[in-house]
Structures are given as structure tokens and as C-alpha cells.
Amino acid sequence: MSTQILIWGAGAIGASLGAAFQRAGEDVLYVDADATHVAAMNDAGLTIEGPVHPDHRAARAVTPADLTGTFDRIFLCVKALHTEDAVAALAPHLAADGYVVSAQNGLNEVGIAQVVGANRTIGCFVNFGADYLSPGVVHYSGRGAVVVGELDGQDTDRIRDLHRLMLTFDDRAVTTDNIWGYLWGKMTYGALLFGTALTDDSIVDVLDGADCRAVLTALGQETGAVAASQGVTPVGFNGFHPEAFAPGAPQAALDRTFDEMVAHNRTSTKTHSGIWRDLAVRKRKTECEAQLGPIVATGRANGVPTPLTERLMAMIAQIERGERPLARENLKELAEVMA
């Protein structure tokens, strides 16, 4: 069995984690579908810019087609929309008693477990800020919650080992017996971020905008209702308090969580979400369907309507196709669904 760590997806999340593991003395191999990125890392190393842990390290990277061998620790860090293809490609390289850690956004653990087995899948929740800048260069812009947990909530030797490894990335990393609560909490927060990405404004400007909070609140309440229908109790993080989006929650609780989310995001040099970067900078498809689609599908299965989320998905798709500009007016149009 190999003790080498395989980082599958060397973008913002994967490169930030991998560089920290290298600093801790771990042997890391990166896999990325972007041959230009792979060549840059092999030729000139991996550079981490930003205020948290600026670093430059020699790195070894391969494309999926060039990977050989089996690995007992694989971190899957690709965008959610690429999860299905990535899991199919990595599965032959996972050791029989190894595991895959889903360091992604969304509920990817469900699909991963279907391929490699729930016993070889570990849940992970990350909320730090990072962006891919160019081949071989990633910007780690702000700290955020880092959580790992077994899918069944058990306390195991491997989750304790993984926790110790994650502490080398962030000394505030924690373990949990409710990883699904964190993941559904991030689904709710993620819905808010997709709302902010309808505009050209920063995350802080939108979350702090008095004209935006009503529709963002309604979005959060939709996801919260779907999570409740699944019997999941979402967990808060970094100023986000999911209980504020529960039916009948007082306005003071909503005001508090919006204010705290604004305060947290002000600590990061990452002004816009990765969703916005996909739309405005990289001009590529976002994780919208992969992240928000399960909210709509689960809502339909459980009889919970999600009209705002469905409209938000349609508007993001229009922006992806170049049929709608990024503008604050988009949030006003989305709010019309509430009428």
C-alpha cells in the first residue's frame, strides 16, 4: 500500500491542500486534466500566492491518462460537475483498504460512495477562500472552516489520522459525527453565493445590501426546508447560522447571521465567489446543476417546493450561455418569484 497522497484536481482547493501536506513532509502527487497546468507544475513548481501561506514548491503532477499505481489516500478536489468522470477514472487507482476524501462543494459523497463504496468514502467540508490564477499558480486568500467526518458519524482510527493531516493545513480543522449537517449547511450557504454571482458586486456588497437580503433569505429558507425534509440538522460555520433560515425565525437572527457572514468575508482577500469567477473571468460552466440540482430533486421527492432555486438555476444557465449580463437587477427579477 502506498502512503503517497494523491490530489485529484490541482485547482484552488487541491493545490492549497497539497502544498500544506508537502510542507508537513508528506509525499504528494497531483493529478489534473489540464495538461498545461500539469506541465507548469512539473517544470516550475507549484506557487501558492496570498496572505495565508505563500509558498513555492517543486511538484510532481500527471494527467489522468498518465497515472499508474494504487493509492490509499486520495483527495478528490475537482469541481462538482466533474465528479462522476473523475471518480470513474480514479476508482481503479484506489487501494482496497484506501479511501477517497471529497474536498469539494456539494453532496458529492453520495456519488463517490456509489462507485467506490461508502466504506471507502470520507466526508469533508471546506469553506476557505482560494482561486486558480494560472498554470502552476493558485491564490489562497482566506481561512475558513475545515471539517472531516465518516459518513456514518463513527469515530475511527482513520478519521483521527485524517484530522491530524488536516491540522497541517489549518490548525482549527475539526472532526464531526454530523458531516451531512455541515454539507447541507454549505448547500444553503452555497445557494446564497449563487445569488451573489448573479451580480458583478462582491460577496460582501451583496450580503450587506438591504435590497438583497429578502430574496437571499427566501433562498436559504428553501434549502433549509429541503434539508429538514431529509431529517438533516444543518450546522453553521464562519458566521453562517442555518437556524436563522428556519420558518418563524426572528428577524434579529437573520440580521445577525448576515452581519456575521459579511464580517467573515471581509477577512478574505477573495472578493467574489468561484461561481462568479467561472462566469465573469473563466467564461465556463459553473457547478450550478451539480450543487443546486440535488436541492431541487430532493425537494421534489419530499414534496418541498423550490421555485426560487429553480429560477436561480435557470438564470445562471442564461449567464453561462451569454444570454444574460451580470447585474444587480437580476436579484430583483429573482425576487419576483416570491410575489
Side-chain angles (χ1 to χ4, degrees):
M1 178 183 292
S2 168
T3 58
Q4 188 177 49
I5 295 174
L6 191 69
I7 300 286
W8 196 291
I13 294 175
S16 298
L17 290 174
F21 299 159
Q22 285 189 266
R23 284 195 298 273
E26 296 283 353
D27 184 9
V28 176
L29 177 63
Y30 299 88
V31 178
D32 200 277
D34 184 341
T36 304
H37 189 36
V38 167
M41 286 193 288
N42 286 325
D43 293 343
L46 172 62
T47 299
I48 304 295
E49 298 184 349
V52 184
H53 283 298
D55 199 359
H56 178 78
R57 293 190 171 270
R60 290 181 294 130
V62 297
T63 63
D66 292 330
L67 180 65
T68 60
T70 58
F71 303 83
D72 56 293
R73 295 179 294 175
I74 299 179
F75 283 74
L76 183 55
C77 306
V78 299
K79 293 278 189 179
L81 69 165
H82 301 306
T83 298
E84 183 176 351
D85 290 343
V87 175
L90 72 79
H93 299 285
L94 178 63
D97 56 352
Y99 57 75
V100 177
V101 180
S102 172
Q104 303 170 270
N105 293 313
L107 298 175
N108 303 282
E109 284 82 353
V110 175
I112 297 169
Q114 288 174 346
V115 177
V116 305
N119 62 324
R120 295 199 294 172
T121 306
I122 292 182
C124 179
F125 164 84
V126 293
N127 194 47
F128 62 86
D131 286 309
Y132 168 92
L133 296 183
S134 60
V137 183
V138 163
H139 190 273
Y140 177 18
S141 50
R143 298 177 67 181
V146 177
V147 185
V148 291
E150 296 282 6
L151 300 188
D152 60 5
Q154 291 192 37
D155 180 19
T156 61
D157 289 340
R158 70 177 187 178
I159 204 67
R160 288 191 288 274
D161 288 341
L162 179 59
H163 179 222
R164 283 189 285 271
L165 177 64
M166 298 303 275
L167 287 171
T168 67
F169 172 71
D170 192 311
D171 61 8
R172 295 182 295 202
V174 299
T175 59
T176 180
D177 60 1
N178 183 20
I179 191 64
W180 296 109
Y182 275 101
L183 294 175
W184 272 100
K186 184 65 180 290
M187 294 283 277
T188 304
Y189 181 66
L192 305 186
L193 291 183
F194 273 98
T196 70
L198 290 174
T199 83
D200 251 334
D201 299 330
S202 71
I203 296 171
V204 166
D205 286 341
V206 178
L207 292 179
D208 204 26
D211 59 324
C212 303
R213 288 190 174 184
V215 67
L216 293 178
T217 296
L219 268 174
Q221 289 172 334
E222 276 194 2
T223 306
V226 174
S229 74
Q230 284 288 90
V232 175
T233 301
V235 179
F237 53 89
N238 300 141
F240 171 71
H241 301 289
E243 63 275 14
F245 295 89
Q251 185 60 45
L254 280 166
D255 292 340
R256 173 187 167 224
T257 192
F258 272 106
D259 290 345
E260 291 190 11
M261 285 188 284
V262 167
H264 171 75
N265 280 283
R266 286 194 195 281
T267 66
S268 175
T269 57
K270 182 181 174 75
T271 59
H272 292 71
S273 68
I275 308 155
W276 177 89
R277 282 186 60 83
D278 284 341
L279 293 171
V281 180
R282 305 193 72 181
K283 306 291 186 184
R284 66 180 186 179
K285 191 173 177 62
T286 69
E287 298 177 291
C288 184
E289 290 180 22
Q291 282 196 47
L292 301 186
I295 297 172
V296 173
T298 305
R300 287 176 179 166
N302 295 348
V304 180
T306 56
L308 271 169
T309 307
E310 291 180 52
R311 181 62 183 142
L312 173 59
M313 290 179 66
M315 295 173 76
I316 292 289
Q318 289 174 325
I319 296 171
E320 290 173 346
R321 295 193 298 267
E323 299 171 355
R324 175 186 290 275
L326 293 164
R328 191 94 163 202
E329 286 71 22
N330 288 331
L331 278 173
K332 295 179 181 177
E333 184 177 325
L334 180 62
E336 293 174 2
V337 179
M338 301 163 55

